[in-house]
Amino acid sequence: MTIKLVATDMDGTFLTDDKHFDKERFSRVYDYMTKNDITFVSASGNQYYQLKDFFKDFPKTLFVAENGALVGSHDEIYKTDTFSQAVVQKTLQVLNSLDDVQSIVCGENSAYIAKNVTPEFAKMSKFYFPEITSVDKLEDVTDNILKFSINCPPDETEAYMEKISNMIGPTVSVVTSGHGDIDVIRADVNKATGLDYLSDKLNIEPEEMCAFGDGGNDLEMLRYVGHGVAMKNASPIVHETAPFETVDNNQQGVIQHLEELFEI
């Protein structure tokens, strides 16, 4: 099989637990991919602006950000999939009714948090969302909304996911990357829909794609591509979904697998 596109999740997959990657090793893989017309894609629930910063030294990287709701390059946003205003307001009503939940509203231009969030949540939010704005009320945000990012007690993640999904209804999909982090996205949007857009744009078949993941928000992407790879540290359902496995994220499993795949 000829691989023409490589897509990777970030947290728990491409990045180590301390949010780094081996730039020297990756540079050799990136140079090989560039010379052989293989497209590299960062496919993440994270904000577009954060992903661009991670790969500022790798200018041909493409991005499927916000769990598929934004697709672009370093220089251009190709497309966005945003919520209707009615769904935005209903989602905020549901989130405001839940205890032990803190939320980020992710827009095209910025992310938004309420001014009354805890200092710890504000600090974490600013790391993951370099473009972020504090507002008095999330209901007053006028940006086009891509996604809602929610933090809840880690041991109650599944319960909150089910509750949020039931309360909002079938217009949304509720996914998790673990550790109490939940994303609410449009039901018809995920990382696979982002890759499907790139498939058409770049004339690359899904069978010619390779993807790496570790969590529930990677499942559609891993099913979509021809060469799906689970991290050693991935959740059980990811191992059931992906036909291949690599070592864990702290051992640079993505880079190692690509070195083996491309015989670098």
Side-chain angles (χ1 to χ4, degrees):
M1 181 199 312
T2 299
I3 298 296
K4 296 183 179 179
L5 183 149
V6 172
T8 181
D9 174 54
M10 293 297 288
D11 297 306
T13 301
F14 190 75
L15 299 176
T16 60
D17 289 347
D18 60 359
K19 309 304 178 188
H20 293 93
F21 65 95
D22 188 328
K23 288 190 175 181
E24 184 176 342
R25 278 180 76 185
F26 179 65
S27 290
R28 291 193 290 270
V29 174
Y30 175 84
D31 288 344
Y32 175 90
M33 289 191 289
T34 300
K35 291 173 184 174
N36 289 276
D37 296 320
I38 301 168
T39 301
F40 178 70
V41 180
S42 172
S44 173
N46 294 347
Q47 189 182 44
Y48 170 61
Y49 304 101
Q50 188 204 39
L51 299 179
K52 288 208 313 180
D53 186 60
F54 273 126
F55 294 103
K56 59 181 178 290
D57 297 326
F58 305 96
K60 293 191 175 182
T61 301
L62 300 184
F63 304 99
V64 172
E66 308 283 16
N67 274 327
L70 185 152
V71 182
S73 67
H74 272 283
D75 303 318
E76 180 185 357
I77 293 175
Y78 298 148
K79 82 171 188 100
T80 59
D81 292 303
T82 59
F83 285 100
S84 70
Q85 190 58 32
V87 174
V88 170
Q89 293 305 317
K90 182 174 183 180
T91 301
L92 288 174
Q93 288 172 6
V94 168
L95 297 180
N96 288 338
S97 73
L98 298 174
D99 296 329
D100 297 325
V101 162
Q102 298 188 91
S103 306
I104 305 168
V105 175
C106 308
E108 289 181 345
N109 300 314
S110 177
Y112 303 88
I113 55 171
K115 290 180 179 177
N116 63 351
V117 298
T118 64
E120 295 79 12
F121 186 69
K123 181 179 179 181
M124 182 275 292
S125 302
K126 289 173 182 175
F127 173 79
Y128 283 103
F129 300 89
E131 293 290 333
I132 194 163
T133 305
S134 295
V135 295
D136 292 324
K137 292 173 60 181
L138 293 176
E139 289 82 356
D140 295 335
V141 171
T142 58
D143 201 350
N144 293 320
I145 305 307
L146 302 164
K147 185 190 77 171
F148 298 85
S149 184
I150 302 155
N151 183 259
C152 71
D155 58 348
E156 298 180 54
T157 302
E158 296 296 328
Y160 271 106
M161 287 178 64
E162 183 176 1
K163 185 181 296 186
I164 292 167
S165 180
N166 290 337
M167 292 176 74
I168 301 174
T171 57
V172 304
S173 177
V174 182
V175 297
T176 181
S177 54
H179 315 296
D181 296 323
I182 297 170
D183 281 350
V184 176
I185 57 179
R186 269 180 33 179
D188 59 344
V189 173
N190 53 59
K191 294 180 184 182
T193 63
L195 291 184
D196 192 55
Y197 171 85
L198 291 177
S199 173
D200 290 338
K201 183 177 180 65
L202 304 175
N203 194 28
I204 297 174
E205 296 298 321
E207 294 77 18
E208 299 172 313
M209 297 182 181
C210 169
F212 298 84
D214 75 307
N217 61 347
D218 299 314
L219 295 177
E220 294 91 351
M221 173 173 72
L222 293 170
R223 295 187 187 110
Y224 179 78
V225 302
H227 189 94
V229 187
M231 307 304 293
K232 182 73 173 178
N233 52 287
S235 61
I237 192 170
V238 173
H239 284 287
E240 293 170 12
T241 301
F244 300 97
E245 180 185 293
T246 186
V247 297
D248 70 42
N249 61 311
N250 290 317
Q251 296 178 279
Q252 303 291 294
V254 173
I255 298 174
Q256 178 170 314
H257 192 86
L258 293 176
E259 288 170 338
E260 294 168 355
L261 191 64
F262 298 141
E263 300 181 350
I264 299 173

